[in-house]
Amino acid sequence: MTLESMLLPIPSEIVMPFGGFLVQQGVLNFWLVVISGTLGNLAGSLIAYAAGYILEENVIIMLIKTYGKYILLSEHEYQRARKWFMQYGTSVTFFSRLLPVVRTFISLPAGLAEMKLWKFSLFTFLGSFLWSAFLTWIGFSLGKHWNSIDPYFRQFQLVILVVILAGVIYYIIRKFNFIGNRKQ
């Protein structure tokens, strides 16, 4: 969760439900998983906030243009997060934590705007807590019903795997600009 919030492509949508599954199996405690995810998110967000606070925007954009493709971050995604922050103010820090993709990048514009650290930390903690609890609950719920969906999953296992793999490959190819956006 810390790495995701530091702008690295490790999706919480996989990490936290797996934690929930482990809760259902009796390996982990639900609230410890949620708090760990929340604190990890806060730690990574503070690092990204600090980068935004310390660096100038032109440096951040240059870094995104140069290295963004390696962490699957585009200038467009950064600009969208920045626009949301400027349009909706500091409350977007809370609400963005509940949205995939934007949740990861909102820390940079918050740092650039020099949002008060206590406010940023509070909104990030609260939004991340809800997100972590929701994803952990999903993993817990799916884990509880795994035996009932397992026969259906096994029938379509190869198809599901191919579709997921194709989606991931397409996403990565788009992010690395191998398709579209080519200079002629």
Side-chain angles (χ1 to χ4, degrees):
M1 296 301 283
T2 300
L3 295 175
E4 178 202 33
S5 294
M6 287 174 44
L7 311 177
L8 296 174
I10 299 172
S12 59
E13 293 86 348
I14 294 173
V15 174
M16 294 308 294
F18 182 68
F21 173 77
L22 292 176
V23 167
Q24 195 281 324
Q25 299 296 305
V27 176
L28 298 175
N29 175 281
F30 183 88
W31 293 111
L32 288 178
V33 170
V34 171
I35 293 296
S36 296
T38 302
L39 292 176
N41 242 321
L42 178 60
S45 295
L46 287 170
I47 292 168
Y49 172 92
Y53 190 85
I54 293 167
L55 300 175
E56 294 180 13
E57 185 169 33
N58 59 343
V59 174
I60 290 173
I61 291 174
M62 185 268 307
L63 289 170
I64 290 171
K65 285 181 178 179
T66 306
Y67 302 106
K69 63 183 174 186
Y70 300 113
I71 60 170
L72 306 179
L73 171 61
S74 71
E75 183 180 356
H76 171 73
E77 290 164 331
Y78 165 75
Q79 291 297 352
R80 182 175 9 153
R82 185 179 182 285
K83 179 182 172 191
W84 281 28
F85 187 83
M86 294 305 168
Q87 185 175 359
Y88 300 110
T90 57
S91 61
V92 78
T93 304
F94 170 77
F95 292 108
S96 71
R97 299 294 168 192
L98 306 173
L99 302 171
V101 182
V102 175
R103 66 185 311 280
T104 307
F105 306 119
I106 202 66
S107 302
L108 280 174
L112 277 169
E114 299 181 3
M115 180 180 178
K116 292 184 179 174
L117 184 60
W118 71 267
K119 200 176 210 181
F120 173 80
S121 298
L122 177 65
F123 287 167
T124 297
F125 181 87
L126 293 174
S128 296
F129 179 84
L130 291 175
W131 182 250
S132 294
F134 174 69
L135 291 178
T136 303
W137 175 79
I138 287 175
F140 181 83
S141 297
L142 288 176
K144 200 174 0 178
H145 301 292
W146 186 256
N147 291 336
S148 62
I149 64 171
D150 190 41
Y152 302 105
F153 180 76
R154 287 187 187 273
Q155 286 180 350
F156 300 105
Q157 192 171 357
L158 184 58
V159 172
I160 293 169
L161 182 63
V162 168
V163 169
I164 291 172
L165 187 59
V168 168
I169 290 170
Y170 178 76
Y171 177 77
I172 290 171
I173 288 172
R174 290 286 296 170
K175 294 300 280 186
F176 281 99
N177 291 322
F178 292 134
I179 301 175
N181 298 337
R182 286 188 174 187
K183 295 181 181 177
Q184 298 294 331

